[in-house]
Amino acid sequence: MPKISIILPVYNGQKYIEKTINMLCDTTLKDIEIIIIDDGSKDNSYAICCNCAERDSRIKVYQKQNEGGVYAARNYGLKKVTGEYVCFCDQDDIVEPDIYEKMLFYSQSQDVDIVMCSVGKLIGEKRVTFETLPNIHYNTQKQISSLLLQNLFMNTSIYPGNGISIGNTIWRCMVKDSFIQENAIYFRRYVNYEDDWLFVLDCLARAKSVSTVSDILYYWRVNLKSETYTSKYIYDIYLKDKTLQDEIEKIMQIAGIDEKMVSVFRKHYSCVRYINILENEMKNDKNNLKSKMDNIKIIQTEAEYEGNLKMREKYNKNLIRKKIALWFLEKNQLFLAYIFLVVFNRLKLFGVRHEYWNRIERKLARIRK
């Protein structure tokens, strides 16, 4: 039985996949298995993965139809795990050679359910810091609930905690397989790509102990062709996002978080939903502007609509675009809120493509310090 199972979903990844597989094989911890799930690739990815498996018996390749996306591929991989611990990797990302050796040390020495490392971003071939965590061991429900709350209220003053930024990504985590199985944790998606987030929240809600690691051991490659930047229009986003909100509230209750804080989250996430609906209409190529405004107006039917919008005051400076858009909504200016986000997001995407945005983010980070 290998110590660690690494789940690696692949879809049309021929550009990087062989490099990624070789990188995982060359990590300092050799007692691993690499579970590759080819999710119906239309390029040469599957053949590349099979060739790699012929050279290294630790590689196991499975193929499935492209139904459900990456979350379904990860669930498929969870059923194939034979290792004591589970990790995840994306097909074009970078890991440090000692990532699994270090995380295994923390997990075994402190006997924790989850280990979370710090992460960086890979822009081209340039590595920059993304989210850093302290070296801390959490072993009480109150401590772990604080991590969950810091995740839910990140970039706000609602629950500042100790300033830790716990992101929504699963690939920063090492999780005991027995913990996953005992708690029936799996990936699920309601809106777009929140499956990582729900999995992390589920783990934090049920864990008895968690360790965070200050070392940056994983680098996320910024891919402008990924759904983060090119996601499609989502039909029935209002109902889907409401369902997601309900699901997160259930997770908070499992974690023992009091109803007052759940109510605060409900108001906060309602603001998130309003922004999501505005931005979703930007991707609606079939409707004219009037039809888009009619779709957006659904948010005004909510009983607590005006009260929810007050939560914009809790947003940090780096979310100024959301604060302004929500201010327009509070003034009943749906059209101006929509146009503002259209212009802002186009400028941001231009900035990301030309690396200006990362410079702005670094300047804002220095100002906040």
Side-chain angles (χ1 to χ4, degrees):
M1 184 171 99
K3 280 292 181 186
I4 296 174
S5 297
I6 305 163
I7 296 176
L8 175 61
V10 177
Y11 179 72
N12 292 348
Q14 66 180 17
K15 182 177 180 180
Y16 292 108
I17 191 57
E18 185 169 13
K19 180 180 178 181
T20 301
I21 294 170
N22 291 337
M23 171 190 64
L24 295 175
C25 289
D26 291 339
T27 53
T28 56
L29 184 71
K30 302 304 180 185
D31 193 8
I32 63 173
E33 68 173 355
I34 302 169
I35 300 173
I36 300 174
I37 303 94
D38 180 81
D39 197 20
S41 294
K42 298 175 182 178
D43 62 5
N44 203 35
S45 295
Y46 180 67
I48 294 171
C49 294
C50 289
N51 288 336
C52 291
E54 289 177 3
R55 299 195 302 265
D56 194 319
S57 61
R58 297 175 299 172
I59 301 170
K60 300 175 182 178
V61 183
Y62 303 93
Q63 195 174 35
K64 64 179 288 294
Q65 292 184 344
N66 184 234
E67 297 176 350
V70 68
Y71 84 96
R74 286 173 174 158
N75 283 334
Y76 187 98
L78 285 173
K79 295 177 182 178
K80 303 299 182 182
V81 164
T82 63
E84 188 177 350
Y85 301 88
V86 180
C87 291
F88 301 86
C89 184
D90 281 358
Q91 64 187 18
D92 55 357
D93 291 345
I94 298 291
V95 300
E96 291 290 354
D98 58 352
I99 176 174
Y100 303 120
E101 187 174 14
K102 282 189 174 179
M103 294 181 78
L104 182 63
F105 169 78
Y106 279 97
S107 185
Q108 291 182 328
S109 62
Q110 298 173 339
D111 190 26
V112 297
D113 295 318
I114 313 161
V115 179
M116 309 175 81
C117 70
S118 300
V119 297
K121 285 197 293 188
L122 196 64
I123 304 170
E125 295 303 320
K126 183 179 180 181
R127 300 185 183 193
V128 298
T129 299
F130 181 44
E131 290 175 344
T132 56
L133 304 173
N135 287 319
I136 296 182
H137 176 53
Y138 303 85
N139 59 3
T140 68
Q141 185 184 44
K142 183 177 180 180
Q143 291 172 342
I144 298 172
S145 292
S146 74
L147 287 178
L148 192 150
L149 290 171
Q150 286 166 47
N151 177 292
L152 292 176
F153 296 117
M154 192 165 42
N155 293 320
T156 75
S157 60
I158 297 171
Y159 189 85
N162 55 6
I164 295 175
S165 177
I166 295 286
N168 305 330
T169 51
I170 191 58
W171 28 250
R172 76 187 313 157
C173 303
M174 173 182 287
V175 189
K176 280 184 178 179
D177 183 55
S178 58
F179 169 77
I180 294 174
Q181 301 303 324
E182 288 166 7
N183 291 282
I185 300 173
Y186 60 98
F187 291 92
R188 55 204 188 279
R189 177 179 294 183
Y190 296 98
V191 185
N192 199 359
Y193 46 91
E194 73 284 340
D195 41 295
D196 277 37
W197 188 24
L198 286 174
F199 196 97
V200 171
L201 293 178
D202 264 336
C203 288
L204 291 176
R206 294 167 167 82
K208 293 183 174 62
S209 55
V210 178
S211 286
T212 58
V213 181
S214 63
D215 296 336
I216 297 177
L217 301 175
Y218 193 102
Y219 287 87
W220 155 55
R221 187 183 298 275
V222 177
N223 179 5
L224 297 178
K225 294 181 180 180
S226 72
E227 67 178 354
T228 303
Y229 296 103
T230 61
S231 52
K232 297 178 181 179
Y233 180 74
I234 301 169
Y235 291 94
D236 297 325
I237 189 173
Y238 180 81
L239 294 176
K240 290 176 180 177
D241 225 345
K242 283 279 286 183
T243 303
L244 173 60
Q245 178 178 316
D246 293 342
E247 189 73 10
I248 296 172
E249 289 180 21
K250 291 177 185 176
I251 293 173
M252 295 177 74
Q253 291 164 355
I254 289 171
I257 294 171
D258 64 79
E259 182 56 37
K260 182 179 179 180
M261 190 57 76
V262 174
S263 177
V264 171
F265 169 77
R266 188 176 302 125
K267 292 178 179 295
H268 161 66
Y269 194 75
S270 292
C271 288
V272 175
R273 290 191 293 105
Y274 302 157
I275 296 294
N276 289 346
I277 289 170
L278 286 167
E279 293 185 332
N280 189 54
E281 287 303 318
M282 298 177 197
K283 306 160 194 168
N284 190 346
D285 298 328
K286 296 182 178 180
N287 286 352
N288 57 30
L289 188 58
K290 182 181 182 303
S291 297
K292 291 182 178 184
M293 290 301 105
D294 289 339
N295 290 340
I296 293 170
K297 284 179 182 178
I298 191 172
I299 63 179
Q300 293 182 316
T301 63
E302 294 189 1
E304 301 296 325
Y305 173 69
E306 293 183 1
N308 294 339
L309 288 170
K310 297 294 183 183
M311 276 294 171
R312 67 180 174 79
E313 299 170 3
K314 302 292 185 179
Y315 282 5
N316 292 345
K317 292 180 181 178
N318 60 327
L319 295 182
I320 186 67
R321 72 179 178 90
K322 294 185 178 182
K323 293 181 76 168
I324 293 173
L326 292 169
W327 181 82
F328 279 126
L329 292 181
E330 189 178 15
K331 300 302 179 183
N332 203 28
Q333 299 293 328
L334 274 68
F335 174 74
L336 290 179
Y338 173 76
I339 294 299
F340 167 75
L341 284 177
V342 168
V343 174
F344 188 99
N345 285 5
R346 286 179 180 175
L347 288 173
K348 179 179 178 180
L349 184 56
F350 176 84
V352 170
R353 284 174 175 159
H354 294 82
E355 296 193 22
Y356 300 140
W357 195 258
N358 295 292
R359 299 174 196 170
I360 294 171
E361 283 183 333
R362 288 195 288 271
K363 286 182 180 179
L364 287 173
R366 286 196 293 270
I367 291 171
R368 289 196 296 271
K369 288 179 181 178

